[in-house]
Amino acid sequence: MNQDKRKKIMLALILATIIVIISFVYNHYLAKPKSISKNGFYFNTVIAIQLNDTSDEALIDDCFALADTYEHYFSRTMEGSDIYNINHADGAPVQVHEETAELIRAGIRYGKLSDGLFDISIGALTELWDIPDNNGVIPNEDAIKEAAATVDYTQIDVDGCTITMKNPDARLDLGGIAKGYAADQMKAYLNEHGAHEGFINLGGNVLTLGEKSDGSPYHIGIKKPFSEEGETITAVDITDKSVVTSGCYERYFEKDGRIYHHILDPVTGYPYENDLNAVTILSDSSMEGDALSTICFALGMEKGMELIDSMPDTEAIFIDKENKVYQ
Protein backbone atom coordinates (compact mmCIF):
# COMPACT_ATOMS: atom_id res chain seq x y z
CA MET A 1 0.00 0.00 0.00
CA ASN A 2 1.50 3.35 -0.99
CA GLN A 3 1.94 6.24 1.41
CA ASP A 4 -0.85 8.44 -0.07
CA LYS A 5 -3.42 5.67 0.14
CA ARG A 6 -2.44 4.95 3.75
CA LYS A 7 -2.90 8.63 4.64
CA LYS A 8 -6.33 8.72 3.01
CA ILE A 9 -7.45 5.65 4.95
CA MET A 10 -6.14 7.10 8.23
CA LEU A 11 -7.88 10.42 7.50
CA ALA A 12 -11.16 8.63 6.77
CA LEU A 13 -10.91 6.69 10.05
CA ILE A 14 -10.20 9.87 12.00
CA LEU A 15 -13.16 11.66 10.39
CA ALA A 16 -15.44 8.70 11.11
CA THR A 17 -14.32 8.70 14.75
CA ILE A 18 -14.96 12.44 15.04
CA ILE A 19 -18.45 12.01 13.56
CA VAL A 20 -19.24 9.24 16.06
CA ILE A 21 -18.04 11.42 18.96
CA ILE A 22 -20.04 14.44 17.75
CA SER A 23 -23.13 12.26 17.31
CA PHE A 24 -22.73 10.82 20.82
CA VAL A 25 -22.32 14.26 22.41
CA TYR A 26 -25.30 15.65 20.51
CA ASN A 27 -27.64 12.77 21.27
CA HIS A 28 -26.71 12.45 24.93
CA TYR A 29 -26.14 16.07 25.90
CA LEU A 30 -27.09 18.68 23.36
CA ALA A 31 -30.25 17.05 21.97
CA LYS A 32 -31.58 16.00 25.36
CA PRO A 33 -34.24 18.44 26.60
CA LYS A 34 -33.27 20.38 29.68
CA SER A 35 -35.17 19.46 32.84
CA ILE A 36 -37.56 22.25 33.85
CA SER A 37 -39.46 22.89 37.07
CA LYS A 38 -41.69 25.56 38.58
CA ASN A 39 -43.55 26.19 41.84
CA GLY A 40 -46.92 27.81 42.40
CA PHE A 41 -49.42 28.37 45.21
CA TYR A 42 -52.89 26.89 44.77
CA PHE A 43 -55.34 24.99 46.98
CA ASN A 44 -53.75 26.79 49.93
CA THR A 45 -50.48 24.91 49.42
CA VAL A 46 -47.28 25.01 47.40
CA ILE A 47 -47.39 22.88 44.27
CA ALA A 48 -44.39 21.89 42.16
CA ILE A 49 -44.05 20.39 38.69
CA GLN A 50 -40.86 19.03 37.14
CA LEU A 51 -40.57 17.76 33.57
CA ASN A 52 -37.47 15.89 32.46
CA ASP A 53 -38.19 15.22 28.78
CA THR A 54 -39.20 18.66 27.52
CA SER A 55 -38.04 22.26 27.71
CA ASP A 56 -41.50 23.67 27.04
CA GLU A 57 -42.27 25.75 30.15
CA ALA A 58 -45.68 26.60 28.69
CA LEU A 59 -46.82 23.08 29.64
CA ILE A 60 -46.21 23.81 33.32
CA ASP A 61 -47.88 27.21 32.99
CA ASP A 62 -50.91 25.48 31.47
CA CYS A 63 -51.01 23.09 34.46
CA PHE A 64 -50.95 26.05 36.83
CA ALA A 65 -53.81 27.56 34.84
CA LEU A 66 -55.70 24.29 35.36
CA ALA A 67 -55.03 24.50 39.10
CA ASP A 68 -56.37 28.06 39.15
CA THR A 69 -59.50 26.96 37.28
CA TYR A 70 -60.15 24.07 39.66
CA GLU A 71 -59.62 26.30 42.67
CA HIS A 72 -62.33 28.58 41.31
CA TYR A 73 -64.58 25.52 40.91
CA PHE A 74 -63.88 23.51 44.07
CA SER A 75 -62.91 25.97 46.83
CA ARG A 76 -65.47 26.23 49.63
CA THR A 77 -64.08 29.58 50.81
CA MET A 78 -63.59 31.42 47.49
CA GLU A 79 -66.63 33.58 46.88
CA GLY A 80 -68.29 32.73 43.58
CA SER A 81 -66.85 29.22 43.27
CA ASP A 82 -69.22 26.36 42.48
CA ILE A 83 -68.90 24.92 45.99
CA TYR A 84 -69.28 28.34 47.64
CA ASN A 85 -72.45 28.92 45.63
CA ILE A 86 -73.87 25.52 46.62
CA ASN A 87 -73.08 26.12 50.29
CA HIS A 88 -74.80 29.51 50.25
CA ALA A 89 -77.88 28.53 48.23
CA ASP A 90 -80.02 27.58 51.26
CA GLY A 91 -81.00 24.33 49.56
CA ALA A 92 -81.85 25.83 46.17
CA PRO A 93 -80.57 24.03 43.03
CA VAL A 94 -77.23 25.32 41.73
CA GLN A 95 -75.87 24.93 38.21
CA VAL A 96 -72.16 24.01 38.29
CA HIS A 97 -69.37 23.22 35.85
CA GLU A 98 -69.27 19.67 34.48
CA GLU A 99 -66.06 18.80 36.33
CA THR A 100 -67.49 20.00 39.64
CA ALA A 101 -70.46 17.68 39.17
CA GLU A 102 -68.05 14.88 38.23
CA LEU A 103 -66.03 15.41 41.42
CA ILE A 104 -69.15 15.53 43.59
CA ARG A 105 -70.33 12.24 42.09
CA ALA A 106 -66.92 10.75 42.87
CA GLY A 107 -67.21 12.02 46.45
CA ILE A 108 -70.57 10.30 46.79
CA ARG A 109 -69.05 7.03 45.51
CA TYR A 110 -66.34 7.20 48.18
CA GLY A 111 -69.03 7.94 50.75
CA LYS A 112 -70.74 4.68 49.77
CA LEU A 113 -67.43 2.77 49.73
CA SER A 114 -66.61 3.92 53.26
CA ASP A 115 -70.17 3.69 54.62
CA GLY A 116 -70.03 7.41 55.40
CA LEU A 117 -66.61 7.54 57.05
CA PHE A 118 -65.54 9.72 54.11
CA ASP A 119 -68.25 12.30 53.53
CA ILE A 120 -67.98 15.39 51.31
CA SER A 121 -70.92 17.03 53.12
CA ILE A 122 -68.70 17.53 56.17
CA GLY A 123 -68.24 21.24 55.48
CA ALA A 124 -70.17 22.49 58.52
CA LEU A 125 -67.79 20.57 60.80
CA THR A 126 -64.77 21.72 58.83
CA GLU A 127 -65.83 25.35 59.21
CA LEU A 128 -66.55 24.91 62.92
CA TRP A 129 -63.17 23.39 63.79
CA ASP A 130 -61.21 25.57 61.34
CA ILE A 131 -58.13 23.46 62.05
CA PRO A 132 -55.62 25.30 59.81
CA ASP A 133 -56.24 28.59 61.65
CA ASN A 134 -57.33 27.26 65.05
CA ASN A 135 -55.06 28.42 67.88
CA GLY A 136 -56.40 25.91 70.39
CA VAL A 137 -60.13 26.61 70.72
CA ILE A 138 -62.25 23.47 71.04
CA PRO A 139 -65.76 24.16 69.71
CA ASN A 140 -68.77 24.00 71.98
CA GLU A 141 -70.11 20.44 72.27
CA ASP A 142 -73.64 21.47 71.27
CA ALA A 143 -72.27 23.25 68.21
CA ILE A 144 -70.32 20.10 67.27
CA LYS A 145 -73.45 17.95 67.55
CA GLU A 146 -75.44 20.44 65.49
CA ALA A 147 -72.82 20.52 62.74
CA ALA A 148 -72.41 16.72 62.74
CA ALA A 149 -76.17 16.32 62.27
CA THR A 150 -75.90 18.01 58.85
CA VAL A 151 -73.36 15.50 57.49
CA ASP A 152 -75.00 12.99 55.15
CA TYR A 153 -73.74 12.44 51.62
CA THR A 154 -77.00 10.67 50.68
CA GLN A 155 -78.74 14.06 50.92
CA ILE A 156 -76.73 15.46 47.98
CA ASP A 157 -78.76 15.41 44.78
CA VAL A 158 -76.86 15.45 41.48
CA ASP A 159 -78.92 15.88 38.32
CA GLY A 160 -76.54 16.39 35.42
CA CYS A 161 -74.74 19.61 36.37
CA THR A 162 -77.41 20.72 38.84
CA ILE A 163 -76.59 20.20 42.52
CA THR A 164 -79.17 20.41 45.30
CA MET A 165 -78.47 20.06 49.01
CA LYS A 166 -81.60 18.49 50.46
CA ASN A 167 -80.55 19.73 53.88
CA PRO A 168 -80.10 23.51 53.46
CA ASP A 169 -77.80 23.61 56.50
CA ALA A 170 -75.34 21.11 55.02
CA ARG A 171 -72.06 22.28 53.52
CA LEU A 172 -69.85 20.61 50.93
CA ASP A 173 -66.08 20.27 51.38
CA LEU A 174 -64.16 18.63 48.52
CA GLY A 175 -60.79 19.11 50.18
CA GLY A 176 -60.38 15.35 50.59
CA ILE A 177 -60.27 14.68 46.83
CA ALA A 178 -59.85 18.01 44.98
CA LYS A 179 -56.03 18.04 44.90
CA GLY A 180 -55.92 14.44 43.72
CA TYR A 181 -58.40 15.17 40.95
CA ALA A 182 -56.37 18.20 39.85
CA ALA A 183 -53.14 16.16 39.81
CA ASP A 184 -54.75 13.47 37.65
CA GLN A 185 -55.99 16.06 35.16
CA MET A 186 -52.57 17.73 34.99
CA LYS A 187 -50.90 14.41 34.29
CA ALA A 188 -53.40 13.60 31.55
CA TYR A 189 -52.76 17.02 29.96
CA LEU A 190 -48.98 16.60 30.10
CA ASN A 191 -49.11 13.09 28.62
CA GLU A 192 -51.40 14.32 25.86
CA HIS A 193 -48.84 16.99 24.96
CA GLY A 194 -45.83 14.68 24.91
CA ALA A 195 -44.45 14.99 28.46
CA HIS A 196 -43.90 11.53 29.94
CA GLU A 197 -41.08 11.94 32.45
CA GLY A 198 -41.17 13.97 35.67
CA PHE A 199 -43.48 14.50 38.61
CA ILE A 200 -46.32 16.61 40.00
CA ASN A 201 -46.38 17.48 43.71
CA LEU A 202 -49.54 19.11 45.01
CA GLY A 203 -48.69 19.73 48.64
CA GLY A 204 -47.85 16.09 49.36
CA ASN A 205 -49.89 14.49 46.60
CA VAL A 206 -47.04 13.15 44.45
CA LEU A 207 -47.85 11.83 40.99
CA THR A 208 -45.04 10.56 38.76
CA LEU A 209 -45.01 10.59 34.98
CA GLY A 210 -43.73 7.32 33.51
CA GLU A 211 -40.27 6.18 34.50
CA LYS A 212 -36.89 7.89 34.42
CA SER A 213 -35.00 7.94 31.12
CA ASP A 214 -32.57 5.33 32.43
CA GLY A 215 -35.46 2.98 33.22
CA SER A 216 -35.21 3.40 37.00
CA PRO A 217 -38.22 4.21 39.23
CA TYR A 218 -38.78 7.38 41.22
CA HIS A 219 -37.64 7.20 44.85
CA ILE A 220 -40.25 8.97 47.02
CA GLY A 221 -39.66 9.56 50.72
CA ILE A 222 -42.48 9.24 53.27
CA LYS A 223 -42.28 11.85 56.00
CA LYS A 224 -41.88 10.77 59.61
CA PRO A 225 -44.96 11.98 61.53
CA PHE A 226 -44.34 15.02 63.72
CA SER A 227 -40.74 15.34 62.55
CA GLU A 228 -39.84 19.03 62.66
CA GLU A 229 -36.82 18.52 60.41
CA GLY A 230 -38.86 16.81 57.69
CA GLU A 231 -37.12 13.48 58.35
CA THR A 232 -38.31 10.52 56.28
CA ILE A 233 -39.42 7.31 57.94
CA THR A 234 -39.43 5.11 54.82
CA ALA A 235 -39.44 5.42 51.03
CA VAL A 236 -41.08 3.82 48.02
CA ASP A 237 -39.93 3.22 44.45
CA ILE A 238 -42.69 3.90 41.93
CA THR A 239 -43.21 4.21 38.20
CA ASP A 240 -46.17 6.11 36.75
CA LYS A 241 -47.97 6.01 40.09
CA SER A 242 -49.44 8.29 42.75
CA VAL A 243 -48.33 8.57 46.38
CA VAL A 244 -50.72 10.27 48.82
CA THR A 245 -50.49 10.50 52.61
CA SER A 246 -53.11 11.43 55.20
CA GLY A 247 -52.12 11.80 58.82
CA CYS A 248 -52.87 13.43 62.14
CA TYR A 249 -49.60 15.40 61.99
CA GLU A 250 -50.36 17.42 58.84
CA ARG A 251 -52.76 20.04 60.23
CA TYR A 252 -53.48 20.06 63.94
CA PHE A 253 -53.28 21.87 67.23
CA GLU A 254 -52.45 20.49 70.66
CA LYS A 255 -54.28 21.28 73.87
CA ASP A 256 -53.93 19.70 77.32
CA GLY A 257 -51.68 17.02 75.85
CA ARG A 258 -54.17 15.96 73.18
CA ILE A 259 -53.82 16.30 69.40
CA TYR A 260 -56.80 17.77 67.52
CA HIS A 261 -56.22 17.15 63.80
CA HIS A 262 -58.07 17.88 60.56
CA ILE A 263 -59.43 14.38 59.79
CA LEU A 264 -62.87 14.67 61.35
CA ASP A 265 -65.26 11.85 62.23
CA PRO A 266 -68.70 12.65 60.74
CA VAL A 267 -70.39 10.63 63.50
CA THR A 268 -68.80 12.10 66.63
CA GLY A 269 -67.88 15.46 65.12
CA TYR A 270 -64.40 15.19 66.66
CA PRO A 271 -61.08 14.25 65.04
CA TYR A 272 -60.69 10.50 64.56
CA GLU A 273 -58.96 8.69 67.42
CA ASN A 274 -57.32 5.38 66.54
CA ASP A 275 -54.03 3.48 66.39
CA LEU A 276 -52.59 5.45 63.46
CA ASN A 277 -50.42 8.46 62.79
CA ALA A 278 -50.60 8.23 59.00
CA VAL A 279 -51.64 6.21 55.96
CA THR A 280 -49.94 6.41 52.56
CA ILE A 281 -51.65 5.06 49.44
CA LEU A 282 -49.88 3.98 46.24
CA SER A 283 -52.30 3.88 43.32
CA ASP A 284 -52.77 4.77 39.67
CA SER A 285 -55.11 7.67 40.46
CA SER A 286 -54.17 10.51 42.80
CA MET A 287 -57.83 11.25 43.49
CA GLU A 288 -58.38 7.65 44.56
CA GLY A 289 -55.25 7.83 46.71
CA ASP A 290 -56.59 11.01 48.28
CA ALA A 291 -59.87 9.40 49.24
CA LEU A 292 -58.44 6.01 50.27
CA SER A 293 -55.78 7.53 52.52
CA THR A 294 -58.54 9.29 54.48
CA ILE A 295 -60.83 6.25 54.48
CA CYS A 296 -58.07 3.91 55.69
CA PHE A 297 -57.08 6.37 58.41
CA ALA A 298 -60.71 6.48 59.53
CA LEU A 299 -61.00 2.68 59.48
CA GLY A 300 -57.84 2.11 61.51
CA MET A 301 -55.05 -0.30 60.63
CA GLU A 302 -56.80 -3.69 60.68
CA LYS A 303 -59.91 -2.73 58.69
CA GLY A 304 -57.88 -0.39 56.49
CA MET A 305 -55.60 -3.26 55.49
CA GLU A 306 -58.63 -5.42 54.72
CA LEU A 307 -59.98 -2.74 52.39
CA ILE A 308 -56.68 -2.30 50.52
CA ASP A 309 -56.27 -6.08 50.18
CA SER A 310 -59.61 -6.11 48.33
CA MET A 311 -58.53 -3.46 45.80
CA PRO A 312 -56.42 -4.26 42.71
CA ASP A 313 -53.28 -2.28 41.82
CA THR A 314 -53.36 -0.46 45.17
CA GLU A 315 -50.91 -0.60 48.06
CA ALA A 316 -50.81 1.08 51.46
CA ILE A 317 -48.30 1.97 54.14
CA PHE A 318 -49.65 2.33 57.68
CA ILE A 319 -47.71 4.17 60.39
CA ASP A 320 -48.94 3.55 63.93
CA LYS A 321 -48.77 5.75 67.02
CA GLU A 322 -45.28 4.40 67.79
CA ASN A 323 -44.18 5.29 64.24
CA LYS A 324 -43.83 1.64 63.30
CA VAL A 325 -44.28 1.04 59.58
CA TYR A 326 -46.59 -1.65 58.14
CA GLN A 327 -46.96 -2.28 54.42
Side-chain angles (χ1 to χ4, degrees), residues 179-190:
K179 286 196 301 181
Y181 178 88
D184 288 337
Q185 299 308 309
M186 289 179 188
K187 179 178 178 178
Y189 176 84
L190 291 170

Side-chain angles (χ1 to χ4, degrees), residues 114 117-118 246 274-276 278-281 289-309 311 314-318:
S114 66
L117 295 179
F118 180 95
S246 288
N274 56 30
D275 53 352
L276 294 172
V279 178
T280 296
I281 300 294
D290 237 354
L292 288 177
S293 62
T294 301
I295 292 170
C296 288
F297 187 93
L299 286 170
M301 189 182 303
E302 183 177 350
K303 291 184 178 179
M305 285 183 173
E306 289 177 6
L307 174 63
I308 296 303
D309 284 341
M311 307 191 73
T314 306
E315 299 177 51
I317 296 171
F318 295 82

Side-chain angles (χ1 to χ4, degrees), residues 11 28 45 76 88 107-108 140 168 172 188 280 286 305 307 312 324:
L11 181 60
H28 287 77
T45 191
R76 67 177 176 82
H88 292 80
I108 293 171
N140 176 275
L172 288 181
T280 296
S286 188
M305 285 183 173
L307 174 63
K324 293 181 180 178

